[in-house]
Amino acid sequence: MSYQSSQGLQQFKNLVGIKFQLYNSLFTSLPFHRIEKTGILLSLLLTICEDGYKKKQSPEQIIEDFFQKHTAFSAERDRADILFRFVQYVERQIVLFDALEDASFRHVNDMGGAGTLKHLISEVLQTNKEEELTEKLKDYSVRMVLTAHPTQFYPGPVLGIINDLSRAVIVNDAADINLYMQQLGKTPFLKKQKPTPYDEAVSLIWYLENVFYHACGKIISALQDQFPHSIDKHNAVIKMGFWPGGDRDGNPFVKTETTLKVAESLRGAIIKCYYLDVRRLKRRLTFKGVEPILQELEEKLYNNIFIAEKKTELHKHEILDPLIQIREIIIYQHNSLFVNLVDNLIGKVMIFGLHFATLDIRQDSTVHENVLTAVAAKEKLAPENYASLTREEKMKVLTGLTGVANPELYEDELVKDTLETIAGIRTIQHYNGEEGCNRYIISQCNSALNVLEVFGLFLISGWKKEKLSVDIVPLFETVEDLRHAAGVMRELYENKVYFKHLQGRGRTQTIMLGFSDGTKDGGYLMANWGIYKAKEELTRISRESPGSTGPPTAFLLRLI
């Protein structure tokens, strides 16, 4: 072990391990029913489990020995009760440990070492690479996606306690620590009802509000402070993606109503963040010519949070323009006082807009085929014999569809929801901006036809070819799909209608490669090899010119 690693481990033991032992003892003194006995018995059970494991006893034997030798519990109800209290106790110990880890993160980890932003800034300055960095940031961005698996996370109230506990630990405020631990003891971790897809989305929005919003602002501010002209106002260096509420393949209970509700919550959450920041700015920017502008902006944000009918009156530029105006006044009239605070908020608005995170829609390819067959049979928007057409005939039909389907005509909930969702994307873009929802991901995509099926569904949902402001994203998952991915994309690039759509999307095609299904299909090594080869071939195909028009100039990959 290196000296640096050894030092880091010792720091962890001092700031997390030892403190955990100290604060953990507070649990037994909490004024709750039977809490002291629970803590003592749990420590005893730990020792018994370790000894039983060494003796190769079964879990049933270990628990039975524990109850017989060390307790007076004989009834099943009493035994179940104490085991349940053990779980509750351990859950709260984990929360305490998480809070201690959060509080000590800056001390345990090298915040200026290789891989950190501080180190990058230092390297750029030392090597005189400011111009290269500025050029790079014109089109470079990092996209972080919060996926639809939030049930493993803590409930919102518990996350708040972790945050407060961490702050109290940093300043060693024993009184507050004791108070928060009492709150923790009384806060339920379990809900009587299974969380809905909307509940799961709200759980992740907490992280957007309390972690990503502040962290992204600091990153942009750090870059601007050192390299004032490096950030391009037309390119967000950091972008956020969001799957809960849009991922139908991951959660079949997600419906159009859920998607729209989640999009509204994302919009409301980011406006609330801006509103609170503007309120803070008002305490500092008390200068002539600035206060009226801030007051008007504050009112606009307030109306959009609390007054429903004012919702449509706010757009991204209505937040940015006043802030830029304020920045100019401060620089030229007030000695740039607190301009860093304004720059910080401008950076956040550039990143998060009115969408906070882009809500991605995902559905399985087989669903789209079924929807098109149903629409062809009922509304004649496609040939009645659509299902029996050849693959090539279907692709030609799909790129020339006209008319608008009526979701209300269909009894099949999946058909109805698919059509309503695609139409609903326009509603989300109207309120949250285009970035609010502009990616439709196709799971189990194994042909160019699968992509054009989604293209066709957008056409019969009221979208015009030349104004289709959505990226259609094929997701190649199995080993077989990865092997044929390059051929699929070549066929799409050579399709004149689809390629024209790509030109309207900045000549950019997003492609996703799935790791988990590839692993299930062919094992770890084969999946990784399949992804590696697919990336090479897809990159080559995307850079080659299939004709006089040329291929997309940008190529994006995401592994899931």
Side-chain angles (χ1 to χ4, degrees), residues 34-88:
R34 295 185 292 186
I35 190 73
E36 182 177 359
K37 190 173 184 179
T38 301
I40 294 171
L41 287 175
L42 182 59
S43 298
L44 181 60
L45 178 61
L46 172 62
T47 303
I48 291 170
C49 286
E50 290 174 343
D51 291 341
Y53 179 77
K54 290 176 182 177
K55 296 175 183 177
K56 297 186 178 180
Q57 289 181 304
S58 67
E60 291 84 356
Q61 286 178 301
I62 294 171
I63 296 298
E64 185 62 32
D65 286 350
F66 167 72
F67 280 120
Q68 285 186 357
K69 297 177 181 178
H70 302 283
T71 75
F73 300 126
S74 57
E76 286 295 318
R77 183 183 180 88
D78 292 334
R79 290 185 172 188
D81 178 63
I82 188 64
L83 289 174
F84 182 70
R85 281 191 279 125
F86 285 162
V87 172
Q88 290 180 308

Tab-separated table of all heavy atoms in Angstrom, residues 34-88:
chain	number	residue	atom	x	y	z
A	34	ARG	N	-37.600	0.746	24.602
A	34	ARG	CA	-36.766	-0.456	24.443
A	34	ARG	C	-35.559	-0.242	23.531
A	34	ARG	O	-34.967	-1.197	23.052
A	34	ARG	CB	-37.603	-1.623	23.903
A	34	ARG	CG	-38.676	-2.084	24.867
A	34	ARG	CD	-39.396	-3.309	24.364
A	34	ARG	NE	-40.191	-3.024	23.183
A	34	ARG	CZ	-41.010	-3.905	22.608
A	34	ARG	NH1	-41.132	-5.104	23.113
A	34	ARG	NH2	-41.699	-3.586	21.554
A	35	ILE	N	-35.170	1.010	23.297
A	35	ILE	CA	-34.050	1.262	22.383
A	35	ILE	C	-32.728	0.777	22.969
A	35	ILE	O	-31.872	0.251	22.266
A	35	ILE	CB	-33.969	2.765	22.018
A	35	ILE	CG1	-32.961	2.980	20.883
A	35	ILE	CG2	-33.590	3.615	23.217
A	35	ILE	CD1	-33.423	2.518	19.554
A	36	GLU	N	-32.542	0.933	24.305
A	36	GLU	CA	-31.285	0.524	24.932
A	36	GLU	C	-31.108	-0.986	24.843
A	36	GLU	O	-30.047	-1.488	24.482
A	36	GLU	CB	-31.258	0.972	26.396
A	36	GLU	CG	-29.950	0.611	27.092
A	36	GLU	CD	-29.905	1.119	28.529
A	36	GLU	OE1	-30.868	1.747	28.962
A	36	GLU	OE2	-28.883	0.858	29.184
A	37	LYS	N	-32.192	-1.701	25.125
A	37	LYS	CA	-32.125	-3.157	25.068
A	37	LYS	C	-31.856	-3.632	23.638
A	37	LYS	O	-31.104	-4.592	23.422
A	37	LYS	CB	-33.438	-3.754	25.584
A	37	LYS	CG	-33.376	-5.249	25.794
A	37	LYS	CD	-34.645	-5.752	26.470
A	37	LYS	CE	-34.546	-7.246	26.779
A	37	LYS	NZ	-35.757	-7.758	27.452
A	38	THR	N	-32.455	-2.944	22.668
A	38	THR	CA	-32.240	-3.298	21.265
A	38	THR	C	-30.764	-3.175	20.892
A	38	THR	O	-30.188	-4.060	20.261
A	38	THR	CB	-33.081	-2.395	20.340
A	38	THR	OG1	-34.459	-2.535	20.660
A	38	THR	CG2	-32.866	-2.761	18.871
A	39	GLY	N	-30.134	-2.067	21.316
A	39	GLY	CA	-28.729	-1.851	21.003
A	39	GLY	C	-27.818	-2.888	21.627
A	39	GLY	O	-26.886	-3.384	20.984
A	40	ILE	N	-28.094	-3.242	22.880
A	40	ILE	CA	-27.269	-4.236	23.571
A	40	ILE	C	-27.414	-5.609	22.919
A	40	ILE	O	-26.425	-6.311	22.664
A	40	ILE	CB	-27.655	-4.301	25.066
A	40	ILE	CG1	-27.294	-2.977	25.744
A	40	ILE	CG2	-26.965	-5.475	25.746
A	40	ILE	CD1	-27.833	-2.850	27.155
A	41	LEU	N	-28.648	-6.004	22.642
A	41	LEU	CA	-28.890	-7.312	22.024
A	41	LEU	C	-28.311	-7.385	20.614
A	41	LEU	O	-27.827	-8.434	20.179
A	41	LEU	CB	-30.392	-7.603	21.986
A	41	LEU	CG	-31.046	-7.959	23.327
A	41	LEU	CD1	-32.557	-8.095	23.160
A	41	LEU	CD2	-30.464	-9.267	23.874
A	42	LEU	N	-28.348	-6.262	19.889
A	42	LEU	CA	-27.801	-6.251	18.534
A	42	LEU	C	-26.297	-6.482	18.557
A	42	LEU	O	-25.754	-7.234	17.735
A	42	LEU	CB	-28.125	-4.921	17.854
A	42	LEU	CG	-27.645	-4.784	16.399
A	42	LEU	CD1	-28.249	-5.863	15.513
A	42	LEU	CD2	-27.993	-3.395	15.852
A	43	SER	N	-25.595	-5.865	19.501
A	43	SER	CA	-24.149	-6.082	19.638
A	43	SER	C	-23.853	-7.535	19.966
A	43	SER	O	-22.894	-8.132	19.456
A	43	SER	CB	-23.583	-5.173	20.740
A	43	SER	OG	-23.763	-3.815	20.399
A	44	LEU	N	-24.691	-8.110	20.817
A	44	LEU	CA	-24.527	-9.513	21.181
A	44	LEU	C	-24.776	-10.416	19.971
A	44	LEU	O	-24.037	-11.383	19.734
A	44	LEU	CB	-25.503	-9.857	22.313
A	44	LEU	CG	-25.458	-11.292	22.857
A	44	LEU	CD1	-24.076	-11.619	23.413
A	44	LEU	CD2	-26.518	-11.478	23.944
A	45	LEU	N	-25.801	-10.093	19.182
A	45	LEU	CA	-26.111	-10.885	17.992
A	45	LEU	C	-24.956	-10.849	16.992
A	45	LEU	O	-24.656	-11.857	16.343
A	45	LEU	CB	-27.396	-10.366	17.331
A	45	LEU	CG	-27.818	-11.072	16.032
A	45	LEU	CD1	-28.073	-12.555	16.284
A	45	LEU	CD2	-29.049	-10.404	15.437
A	46	LEU	N	-24.303	-9.705	16.872
A	46	LEU	CA	-23.160	-9.586	15.955
A	46	LEU	C	-22.066	-10.587	16.332
A	46	LEU	O	-21.542	-11.310	15.470
A	46	LEU	CB	-22.597	-8.162	16.007
A	46	LEU	CG	-21.282	-7.938	15.248
A	46	LEU	CD1	-21.468	-8.221	13.762
A	46	LEU	CD2	-20.768	-6.521	15.467
A	47	THR	N	-21.747	-10.661	17.618
A	47	THR	CA	-20.711	-11.596	18.080
A	47	THR	C	-21.119	-13.035	17.817
A	47	THR	O	-20.314	-13.866	17.361
A	47	THR	CB	-20.460	-11.392	19.585
A	47	THR	OG1	-20.085	-10.035	19.819
A	47	THR	CG2	-19.357	-12.310	20.082
A	48	ILE	N	-22.370	-13.335	18.097
A	48	ILE	CA	-22.885	-14.705	17.913
A	48	ILE	C	-22.872	-15.089	16.428
A	48	ILE	O	-22.549	-16.220	16.061
A	48	ILE	CB	-24.301	-14.819	18.503
A	48	ILE	CG1	-24.217	-14.714	20.038
A	48	ILE	CG2	-24.980	-16.121	18.093
A	48	ILE	CD1	-25.554	-14.569	20.715
A	49	CYS	N	-23.219	-14.143	15.559
A	49	CYS	CA	-23.208	-14.412	14.113
A	49	CYS	C	-21.792	-14.702	13.622
A	49	CYS	O	-21.578	-15.617	12.818
A	49	CYS	CB	-23.799	-13.223	13.357
A	49	CYS	SG	-25.589	-13.065	13.488
A	50	GLU	N	-20.830	-13.945	14.091
A	50	GLU	CA	-19.440	-14.161	13.690
A	50	GLU	C	-18.942	-15.522	14.141
A	50	GLU	O	-18.293	-16.254	13.378
A	50	GLU	CB	-18.556	-13.051	14.267
A	50	GLU	CG	-18.790	-11.692	13.617
A	50	GLU	CD	-18.015	-10.580	14.316
A	50	GLU	OE1	-17.577	-10.799	15.473
A	50	GLU	OE2	-17.856	-9.495	13.721
A	51	ASP	N	-19.265	-15.886	15.391
A	51	ASP	CA	-18.850	-17.203	15.910
A	51	ASP	C	-19.557	-18.331	15.157
A	51	ASP	O	-18.942	-19.358	14.811
A	51	ASP	CB	-19.157	-17.300	17.406
A	51	ASP	CG	-18.279	-16.379	18.234
A	51	ASP	OD1	-17.222	-15.953	17.716
A	51	ASP	OD2	-18.648	-16.070	19.388
A	52	GLY	N	-20.867	-18.153	14.910
A	52	GLY	CA	-21.641	-19.177	14.206
A	52	GLY	C	-21.155	-19.388	12.787
A	52	GLY	O	-21.120	-20.514	12.282
A	53	TYR	N	-20.752	-18.310	12.142
A	53	TYR	CA	-20.253	-18.403	10.767
A	53	TYR	C	-18.959	-19.223	10.733
A	53	TYR	O	-18.758	-20.052	9.844
A	53	TYR	CB	-20.024	-17.004	10.207
A	53	TYR	CG	-19.487	-16.991	8.802
A	53	TYR	CD1	-20.324	-17.248	7.712
A	53	TYR	CD2	-18.132	-16.744	8.555
A	53	TYR	CE1	-19.823	-17.246	6.418
A	53	TYR	CE2	-17.627	-16.739	7.272
A	53	TYR	CZ	-18.477	-16.987	6.199
A	53	TYR	OH	-17.985	-16.993	4.919
A	54	LYS	N	-18.089	-18.982	11.723
A	54	LYS	CA	-16.832	-19.721	11.792
A	54	LYS	C	-17.089	-21.210	12.025
A	54	LYS	O	-16.337	-22.060	11.556
A	54	LYS	CB	-15.960	-19.170	12.907
A	54	LYS	CG	-15.409	-17.774	12.623
A	54	LYS	CD	-14.620	-17.238	13.814
A	54	LYS	CE	-14.112	-15.828	13.542
A	54	LYS	NZ	-13.406	-15.262	14.735
A	55	LYS	N	-18.167	-21.495	12.749
A	55	LYS	CA	-18.515	-22.905	13.024
A	55	LYS	C	-19.336	-23.524	11.898
A	55	LYS	O	-19.779	-24.662	12.001
A	55	LYS	CB	-19.306	-22.990	14.322
A	55	LYS	CG	-18.518	-22.558	15.552
A	55	LYS	CD	-19.425	-22.565	16.784
A	55	LYS	CE	-18.679	-22.069	18.024
A	55	LYS	NZ	-19.572	-22.013	19.215
A	56	LYS	N	-19.570	-22.726	10.838
A	56	LYS	CA	-20.339	-23.174	9.662
A	56	LYS	C	-21.779	-23.530	10.016
A	56	LYS	O	-22.373	-24.445	9.445
A	56	LYS	CB	-19.651	-24.356	8.992
A	56	LYS	CG	-18.265	-24.014	8.445
A	56	LYS	CD	-17.646	-25.166	7.661
A	56	LYS	CE	-16.290	-24.763	7.093
A	56	LYS	NZ	-15.657	-25.850	6.320
A	57	GLN	N	-22.342	-22.787	10.965
A	57	GLN	CA	-23.743	-22.966	11.314
A	57	GLN	C	-24.622	-22.274	10.267
A	57	GLN	O	-24.218	-21.289	9.657
A	57	GLN	CB	-24.042	-22.379	12.685
A	57	GLN	CG	-23.454	-23.161	13.852
A	57	GLN	CD	-23.822	-22.517	15.178
A	57	GLN	OE1	-23.555	-21.341	15.399
A	57	GLN	NE2	-24.411	-23.302	16.063
A	58	SER	N	-25.843	-22.764	10.109
A	58	SER	CA	-26.779	-22.137	9.181
A	58	SER	C	-27.368	-20.886	9.843
A	58	SER	O	-27.359	-20.766	11.079
A	58	SER	CB	-27.913	-23.102	8.836
A	58	SER	OG	-28.722	-23.335	9.982
A	59	PRO	N	-27.888	-19.939	9.065
A	59	PRO	CA	-28.525	-18.749	9.640
A	59	PRO	C	-29.641	-19.104	10.618
A	59	PRO	O	-29.793	-18.456	11.659
A	59	PRO	CB	-29.074	-18.018	8.410
A	59	PRO	CG	-28.175	-18.442	7.295
A	59	PRO	CD	-27.826	-19.874	7.591
A	60	GLU	N	-30.402	-20.154	10.275
A	60	GLU	CA	-31.498	-20.569	11.167
A	60	GLU	C	-30.951	-21.028	12.519
A	60	GLU	O	-31.509	-20.677	13.583
A	60	GLU	CB	-32.308	-21.703	10.522
A	60	GLU	CG	-33.117	-21.287	9.302
A	60	GLU	CD	-32.289	-21.305	8.032
A	60	GLU	OE1	-31.062	-21.576	8.112
A	60	GLU	OE2	-32.848	-21.018	6.958
A	61	GLN	N	-29.855	-21.789	12.486
A	61	GLN	CA	-29.249	-22.271	13.740
A	61	GLN	C	-28.739	-21.104	14.588
A	61	GLN	O	-28.938	-21.064	15.801
A	61	GLN	CB	-28.080	-23.210	13.428
A	61	GLN	CG	-28.480	-24.588	12.929
A	61	GLN	CD	-27.250	-25.413	12.596
A	61	GLN	OE1	-26.430	-25.031	11.759
A	61	GLN	NE2	-27.104	-26.558	13.274
A	62	ILE	N	-28.091	-20.144	13.935
A	62	ILE	CA	-27.519	-18.995	14.654
A	62	ILE	C	-28.617	-18.204	15.354
A	62	ILE	O	-28.501	-17.869	16.548
A	62	ILE	CB	-26.735	-18.092	13.682
A	62	ILE	CG1	-25.501	-18.832	13.148
A	62	ILE	CG2	-26.324	-16.780	14.358
A	62	ILE	CD1	-24.787	-18.097	12.034
A	63	ILE	N	-29.688	-17.901	14.623
A	63	ILE	CA	-30.790	-17.120	15.214
A	63	ILE	C	-31.465	-17.893	16.331
A	63	ILE	O	-31.799	-17.344	17.392
A	63	ILE	CB	-31.814	-16.721	14.129
A	63	ILE	CG1	-31.165	-15.788	13.102
A	63	ILE	CG2	-33.036	-16.060	14.750
A	63	ILE	CD1	-30.684	-14.478	13.681
A	64	GLU	N	-31.662	-19.199	16.141
A	64	GLU	CA	-32.313	-20.019	17.173
A	64	GLU	C	-31.464	-20.064	18.443
A	64	GLU	O	-31.997	-19.930	19.564
A	64	GLU	CB	-32.533	-21.438	16.627
A	64	GLU	CG	-33.303	-22.360	17.557
A	64	GLU	CD	-34.705	-21.877	17.850
A	64	GLU	OE1	-35.316	-21.233	16.969
A	64	GLU	OE2	-35.186	-22.123	18.991
A	65	ASP	N	-30.146	-20.241	18.285
A	65	ASP	CA	-29.248	-20.246	19.453
A	65	ASP	C	-29.288	-18.909	20.179
A	65	ASP	O	-29.276	-18.850	21.414
A	65	ASP	CB	-27.812	-20.544	19.017
A	65	ASP	CG	-27.625	-22.009	18.645
A	65	ASP	OD1	-28.538	-22.807	18.913
A	65	ASP	OD2	-26.566	-22.332	18.066
A	66	PHE	N	-29.342	-17.834	19.409
A	66	PHE	CA	-29.386	-16.497	20.007
A	66	PHE	C	-30.616	-16.335	20.893
A	66	PHE	O	-30.520	-15.880	22.045
A	66	PHE	CB	-29.389	-15.437	18.892
A	66	PHE	CG	-29.742	-14.057	19.364
A	66	PHE	CD1	-28.852	-13.314	20.133
A	66	PHE	CD2	-30.982	-13.504	19.053
A	66	PHE	CE1	-29.183	-12.036	20.563
A	66	PHE	CE2	-31.320	-12.236	19.486
A	66	PHE	CZ	-30.411	-11.492	20.246
A	67	PHE	N	-31.765	-16.698	20.377
A	67	PHE	CA	-32.996	-16.526	21.151
A	67	PHE	C	-33.043	-17.452	22.375
A	67	PHE	O	-33.479	-17.059	23.456
A	67	PHE	CB	-34.226	-16.761	20.268
A	67	PHE	CG	-34.580	-15.576	19.406
A	67	PHE	CD1	-34.599	-15.677	18.023
A	67	PHE	CD2	-34.905	-14.358	19.979
A	67	PHE	CE1	-34.918	-14.585	17.238
A	67	PHE	CE2	-35.233	-13.259	19.200
A	67	PHE	CZ	-35.235	-13.378	17.816
A	68	GLN	N	-32.578	-18.686	22.203
A	68	GLN	CA	-32.646	-19.650	23.304
A	68	GLN	C	-31.673	-19.322	24.433
A	68	GLN	O	-32.022	-19.419	25.614
A	68	GLN	CB	-32.368	-21.061	22.763
A	68	GLN	CG	-33.521	-21.665	21.987
A	68	GLN	CD	-33.252	-23.112	21.613
A	68	GLN	OE1	-32.184	-23.656	21.892
A	68	GLN	NE2	-34.237	-23.748	20.976
A	69	LYS	N	-30.455	-18.922	24.100
A	69	LYS	CA	-29.417	-18.744	25.107
A	69	LYS	C	-29.346	-17.345	25.711
A	69	LYS	O	-28.861	-17.163	26.829
A	69	LYS	CB	-28.050	-19.099	24.513
A	69	LYS	CG	-27.923	-20.555	24.095
A	69	LYS	CD	-26.560	-20.813	23.443
A	69	LYS	CE	-26.417	-22.271	23.003
A	69	LYS	NZ	-25.109	-22.528	22.326
A	70	HIS	N	-29.836	-16.333	24.945
A	70	HIS	CA	-29.591	-14.963	25.397
A	70	HIS	C	-30.844	-14.111	25.552
A	70	HIS	O	-30.737	-12.928	25.893
A	70	HIS	CB	-28.632	-14.263	24.419
A	70	HIS	CG	-27.326	-14.975	24.262
A	70	HIS	ND1	-26.322	-14.913	25.209
A	70	HIS	CD2	-26.867	-15.785	23.271
A	70	HIS	CE1	-25.301	-15.642	24.805
A	70	HIS	NE2	-25.600	-16.183	23.635
A	71	THR	N	-32.018	-14.670	25.299
A	71	THR	CA	-33.256	-13.908	25.488
A	71	THR	C	-34.305	-14.804	26.126
A	71	THR	O	-34.139	-16.037	26.206
A	71	THR	CB	-33.815	-13.382	24.145
A	71	THR	OG1	-34.418	-14.474	23.431
A	71	THR	CG2	-32.735	-12.753	23.298
A	72	ALA	N	-35.375	-14.156	26.531
A	72	ALA	CA	-36.506	-14.898	27.098
A	72	ALA	C	-37.649	-14.988	26.093
A	72	ALA	O	-38.760	-15.387	26.431
A	72	ALA	CB	-36.979	-14.198	28.375
A	73	PHE	N	-37.348	-14.590	24.850
A	73	PHE	CA	-38.404	-14.595	23.821
A	73	PHE	C	-38.614	-16.015	23.294
A	73	PHE	O	-37.689	-16.656	22.797
A	73	PHE	CB	-38.021	-13.688	22.643
A	73	PHE	CG	-37.805	-12.250	23.040
A	73	PHE	CD1	-36.614	-11.604	22.726
A	73	PHE	CD2	-38.785	-11.544	23.724
A	73	PHE	CE1	-36.412	-10.290	23.079
A	73	PHE	CE2	-38.586	-10.223	24.081
A	73	PHE	CZ	-37.395	-9.588	23.768
A	74	SER	N	-39.843	-16.481	23.406
A	74	SER	CA	-40.178	-17.803	22.874
A	74	SER	C	-41.299	-17.722	21.832
A	74	SER	O	-41.351	-18.542	20.914
A	74	SER	CB	-40.600	-18.749	24.014
A	74	SER	OG	-41.692	-18.197	24.734
A	75	ALA	N	-42.168	-16.731	21.985
A	75	ALA	CA	-43.280	-16.567	21.035
A	75	ALA	C	-42.749	-16.004	19.708
A	75	ALA	O	-41.859	-15.151	19.690
A	75	ALA	CB	-44.334	-15.632	21.611
A	76	GLU	N	-43.298	-16.486	18.600
A	76	GLU	CA	-42.873	-16.034	17.276
A	76	GLU	C	-43.073	-14.537	17.113
A	76	GLU	O	-42.246	-13.848	16.504
A	76	GLU	CB	-43.669	-16.782	16.191
A	76	GLU	CG	-43.256	-18.228	15.995
A	76	GLU	CD	-41.822	-18.332	15.477
A	76	GLU	OE1	-41.448	-17.547	14.591
A	76	GLU	OE2	-41.069	-19.191	15.977
A	77	ARG	N	-44.165	-14.006	17.659
A	77	ARG	CA	-44.463	-12.576	17.527
A	77	ARG	C	-43.373	-11.724	18.195
A	77	ARG	O	-42.916	-10.724	17.642
A	77	ARG	CB	-45.822	-12.267	18.145
A	77	ARG	CG	-46.258	-10.818	17.995
A	77	ARG	CD	-47.585	-10.561	18.710
A	77	ARG	NE	-47.994	-9.181	18.553
A	77	ARG	CZ	-48.718	-8.733	17.543
A	77	ARG	NH1	-49.113	-9.563	16.578
A	77	ARG	NH2	-49.064	-7.460	17.465
A	78	ASP	N	-42.951	-12.144	19.404
A	78	ASP	CA	-41.931	-11.392	20.138
A	78	ASP	C	-40.579	-11.464	19.424
A	78	ASP	O	-39.837	-10.475	19.358
A	78	ASP	CB	-41.781	-11.938	21.560
A	78	ASP	CG	-43.010	-11.661	22.413
A	78	ASP	OD1	-43.708	-10.674	22.099
A	78	ASP	OD2	-43.257	-12.424	23.362
A	79	ARG	N	-40.284	-12.654	18.870
A	79	ARG	CA	-39.020	-12.806	18.150
A	79	ARG	C	-39.005	-11.950	16.873
A	79	ARG	O	-38.001	-11.301	16.563
A	79	ARG	CB	-38.796	-14.275	17.792
A	79	ARG	CG	-38.493	-15.155	18.996
A	79	ARG	CD	-38.162	-16.575	18.571
A	79	ARG	NE	-37.681	-17.372	19.700
A	79	ARG	CZ	-37.169	-18.595	19.590
A	79	ARG	NH1	-37.054	-19.149	18.386
A	79	ARG	NH2	-36.749	-19.249	20.656
A	80	ALA	N	-40.119	-11.956	16.155
A	80	ALA	CA	-40.219	-11.142	14.946
A	80	ALA	C	-40.099	-9.656	15.286
A	80	ALA	O	-39.480	-8.886	14.547
A	80	ALA	CB	-41.533	-11.417	14.221
A	81	ASP	N	-40.673	-9.289	16.432
A	81	ASP	CA	-40.635	-7.882	16.848
A	81	ASP	C	-39.197	-7.413	17.088
A	81	ASP	O	-38.793	-6.345	16.628
A	81	ASP	CB	-41.477	-7.687	18.105
A	81	ASP	CG	-41.437	-6.250	18.604
A	81	ASP	OD1	-41.900	-5.364	17.871
A	81	ASP	OD2	-40.939	-6.021	19.720
A	82	ILE	N	-38.405	-8.229	17.810
A	82	ILE	CA	-37.036	-7.809	18.110
A	82	ILE	C	-36.173	-7.811	16.850
A	82	ILE	O	-35.322	-6.937	16.654
A	82	ILE	CB	-36.398	-8.696	19.214
A	82	ILE	CG1	-35.040	-8.128	19.650
A	82	ILE	CG2	-36.244	-10.122	18.738
A	82	ILE	CD1	-35.099	-6.783	20.294
A	83	LEU	N	-36.406	-8.769	15.946
A	83	LEU	CA	-35.654	-8.791	14.688
A	83	LEU	C	-35.976	-7.562	13.839
A	83	LEU	O	-35.085	-6.975	13.209
A	83	LEU	CB	-35.958	-10.069	13.901
A	83	LEU	CG	-35.387	-11.370	14.487
A	83	LEU	CD1	-35.880	-12.569	13.684
A	83	LEU	CD2	-33.851	-11.339	14.501
A	84	PHE	N	-37.239	-7.173	13.845
A	84	PHE	CA	-37.632	-5.987	13.097
A	84	PHE	C	-36.983	-4.739	13.699
A	84	PHE	O	-36.523	-3.850	12.976
A	84	PHE	CB	-39.151	-5.830	13.089
A	84	PHE	CG	-39.643	-4.653	12.301
A	84	PHE	CD1	-39.557	-4.643	10.918
A	84	PHE	CD2	-40.171	-3.546	12.941
A	84	PHE	CE1	-39.998	-3.549	10.187
A	84	PHE	CE2	-40.616	-2.448	12.215
A	84	PHE	CZ	-40.531	-2.456	10.840
A	85	ARG	N	-36.906	-4.691	15.039
A	85	ARG	CA	-36.269	-3.547	15.695
A	85	ARG	C	-34.761	-3.518	15.407
A	85	ARG	O	-34.156	-2.460	15.333
A	85	ARG	CB	-36.545	-3.577	17.203
A	85	ARG	CG	-37.950	-3.067	17.528
A	85	ARG	CD	-38.153	-2.836	19.008
A	85	ARG	NE	-38.443	-4.069	19.728
A	85	ARG	CZ	-37.750	-4.493	20.763
A	85	ARG	NH1	-36.715	-3.807	21.198
A	85	ARG	NH2	-38.073	-5.618	21.378
A	86	PHE	N	-34.165	-4.709	15.255
A	86	PHE	CA	-32.755	-4.762	14.850
A	86	PHE	C	-32.564	-4.078	13.489
A	86	PHE	O	-31.628	-3.299	13.291
A	86	PHE	CB	-32.271	-6.211	14.745
A	86	PHE	CG	-32.024	-6.876	16.067
A	86	PHE	CD1	-31.948	-8.263	16.158
A	86	PHE	CD2	-31.867	-6.138	17.232
A	86	PHE	CE1	-31.710	-8.895	17.378
A	86	PHE	CE2	-31.630	-6.755	18.453
A	86	PHE	CZ	-31.549	-8.141	18.528
A	87	VAL	N	-33.463	-4.409	12.550
A	87	VAL	CA	-33.387	-3.819	11.210
A	87	VAL	C	-33.520	-2.300	11.291
A	87	VAL	O	-32.761	-1.556	10.656
A	87	VAL	CB	-34.474	-4.411	10.291
A	87	VAL	CG1	-34.519	-3.663	8.958
A	87	VAL	CG2	-34.236	-5.901	10.050
A	88	GLN	N	-34.486	-1.830	12.074
A	88	GLN	CA	-34.677	-0.391	12.239
A	88	GLN	C	-33.420	0.273	12.815
A	88	GLN	O	-33.017	1.355	12.387
A	88	GLN	CB	-35.870	-0.121	13.160
A	88	GLN	CG	-37.227	-0.467	12.553
A	88	GLN	CD	-38.348	-0.176	13.525
A	88	GLN	OE1	-38.335	-0.617	14.679
A	88	GLN	NE2	-39.334	0.579	13.073
